[in-house]
Amino acid sequence: MVVEIKKIGVIGSGQMGSGIAHVCAVAGYDVALSDISMDRIESGLANINGNLARQVQKGQISEEARSQALARISPAVDLDMLSEADLVIESAVENEQVKRKIFSQLCPLLKPEAILATNTSSISITRLAASTDRPERFIGIHFMNPVPIMELVELVRGIATEDETFEASKDFVAKIGKTIAVAEDFPAFMVNRILLPMINEAIYTLYEGVGSVESIDTAMKLGANHPMGPLQLADFIGLDTCLSIMQVLYEGLADSKYRPCPLLVKYVEAGWLGRKTQRGFYDYRGDTPVPTR
Ligand SMILES: CC(=O)CC(=O)SCCNC(=O)CCNC(=O)[C@H](O)C(C)(C)COP(=O)(O)OP(=O)(O)OC[C@H]1O[C@@H](n2cnc3c(N)ncnc32)[C@H](O)[C@@H]1OP(=O)(O)O
Ligand SMILES: NC(=O)C1=CN([C@@H]2O[C@H](COP(=O)(O)OP(=O)(O)OC[C@H]3O[C@@H](n4cnc5c(N)ncnc54)[C@H](OP(=O)(O)O)[C@@H]3O)[C@@H](O)[C@H]2O)C=CC1
């Protein structure tokens, strides 16, 4: 049965979930935005409002489009408020047990034909799908950070994902103005399979004293024309997410080259997760970011 996607549910109103809700609402979809508490949802809505205002300021959208987009996003404090969704995109923390628990609570509430997608950075789509009542209608729709700016979406089929699900997801991604790259369902897919080992290597470069936080980021910004240095980017992504991705690569591909740098582990153990906790490789609590090492 081909699903016509009109209503979207987004689970997780963090940096990615709020970005996904943002682009869906601007594209004209009604969005139910869910998280574990209302204040989490409200901070996600505030993030969306700020980014929409930025787009108005840059002349990318009109003030009317901004207010219409905001009006299309409704807070969903209970998962049953997602029951009318045609597509639900899970974007909670990069932890397989958390994702599985969400799916077990959510699936009984969904329409039989609804598509369930995950924005996971790295975890097996096939394995996550097998934990749901709808492996045929389960797919990886992997956005890039920040969602309103980055054009790419990786589409990842699990072994059981049906063609109708893939086609409906492709149409949806086109409707929100993004470009797809299709990845096979192997650890961390394509972007993160390539990018995260580079970020991990930058952390090893710091850990081994080859460079400082600032010299490493300057080297890659000016030497390789990266828009952000790798350590700045790690803080932007979230050091917990970076560590989770490296652990998935290390366990999934069984190659020591993917072992997470001990310094990354230390930062996550300290709760220094980057921008989202105001401190990672840089301290963001002042006017300008200051290296923490
Ligand atoms: C981990 C995964 O699973 C997958 C991933 O996402 S991997 C990571 C992929 N993302 C990247 O590699 C990001 C690399 N960085 C960049 O592209 C750029 O630094 C950037 C687009 C984030 C910021 O652009 P910039 O020109 O360097 O800085 P800046 O001038 O502050 O921002 C430019 C515009 O981007 C937008 N922007 C910046 N940060 C943003 C954010 N956090 N959210 C939304 N929009 C943002 C704004 O529209 C901003 O416009 P303003 O000038 O009006 O502020
Ligand atoms: N960060 C990035 O650059 C990218 C991340 N991703 C993927 O997107 C997903 C989200 O990442 P990101 O937005 O960075 O993470 P964040 O930590 O910013 O947001 C995760 C959100 O999920 C919430 N959450 C935790 N448990 C639950 C639950 N049981 N039900 C609903 N919400 C829950 C968190 O609440 P609380 O904080 O209270 O735990 C938080 O609000 C991950 O799978 C990540 O791998 C994909 C592309 C890029």
Side-chain angles (χ1 to χ4, degrees):
M1 176 191 298
V2 180
V3 178
E4 196 191 347
I5 298 173
K6 289 183 182 158
K7 294 187 176 170
I8 310 281
V10 175
I11 300 181
S13 60
Q15 55 182 333
M16 293 306 291
S18 57
I20 294 165
H22 172 146
V23 298
C24 289
V26 167
Y29 290 100
D30 289 332
V31 183
L33 180 59
S34 167
D35 204 308
I36 41 183
S37 65
M38 193 56 191
D39 76 307
R40 278 274 172 235
I41 296 171
E42 279 167 359
S43 67
L45 289 169
N47 188 24
I48 293 167
N49 196 23
N51 287 326
L52 284 169
R54 209 162 22 184
Q55 287 183 314
V56 170
Q57 195 190 12
K58 290 176 74 176
Q60 286 169 342
I61 60 170
S62 66
E63 176 51 42
E64 190 192 357
R66 184 187 74 88
S67 53
Q68 284 171 347
L70 271 180
R72 291 191 192 104
I73 304 173
S74 49
V77 275
D78 298 314
L79 281 181
D80 58 16
M81 296 167 81
L82 304 182
S83 59
E84 288 309 304
D86 305 303
L87 166 65
V88 176
I89 304 172
E90 173 275 319
S91 188
V93 63
E94 186 71 341
N95 175 301
E96 184 161 351
Q97 278 58 48
V98 168
K99 293 185 187 298
R100 284 168 166 264
K101 187 156 186 285
I102 290 169
F103 299 148
S104 65
Q105 294 165 338
L106 173 72
C107 284
L109 306 170
L110 293 180
K111 298 186 288 192
E113 68 274 19
I115 293 173
L116 180 51
T118 175
N119 181 46
T120 181
S121 297
S122 61
I123 300 168
S124 165
I125 303 301
T126 299
R127 200 167 63 233
L128 290 174
S131 75
T132 72
D133 65 352
R134 54 191 72 211
E136 300 77 14
R137 287 181 304 289
F138 190 95
I139 191 164
I141 302 182
H142 180 213
F143 291 82
M144 303 292 140
N145 189 6
V147 177
I149 299 295
M150 307 307 278
E151 281 187 54
L152 185 82
V153 170
E154 277 185 314
L155 267 194
V156 189
R157 299 176 70 148
I159 201 166
T161 304
E162 282 179 347
D163 291 348
E164 290 81 359
T165 304
F166 179 70
E167 291 306 321
S169 303
K170 255 175 73 175
D171 292 348
F172 160 72
V173 171
K175 285 205 178 95
I176 59 173
K178 302 286 183 188
T179 302
I180 71 160
V182 178
E184 292 299 315
D185 182 21
F186 292 107
F189 319 131
M190 293 187 295
V191 172
N192 289 333
R193 170 76 179 266
I194 299 163
L195 182 69
L196 264 292
M198 179 203 75
I199 289 177
N200 195 50
E201 205 53 41
I203 302 169
Y204 264 108
T205 306
L206 176 64
Y207 171 67
E208 293 166 8
V210 180
S212 67
V213 168
E214 276 191 312
S215 63
I216 290 165
D217 277 350
T218 301
M220 293 309 286
K221 281 196 283 191
L222 303 189
N225 229 13
H226 288 189
M228 280 174 161
L231 300 175
Q232 182 189 4
L233 180 55
D235 278 353
F236 186 61
I237 291 170
L239 300 188
D240 54 336
T241 301
C242 292
L243 178 57
S244 300
I245 296 166
M246 289 311 299
Q247 285 164 337
V248 164
L249 281 166
Y250 187 44
E251 286 147 25
L253 300 175
D255 189 325
S256 65
K257 71 180 176 182
Y258 297 116
R259 74 219 180 288
C261 178
L263 185 59
L264 173 59
V265 175
K266 188 187 289 285
Y267 270 85
V268 173
E269 285 172 341
W272 297 14
L273 306 183
R275 278 179 177 271
K276 62 186 176 184
T277 58
Q278 296 292 296
R279 202 165 26 165
F281 290 110
Y282 293 87
D283 186 331
Y284 300 91
R285 292 173 295 181
D287 293 341
T288 55
V290 176
T292 53
R293 249 181 115 75

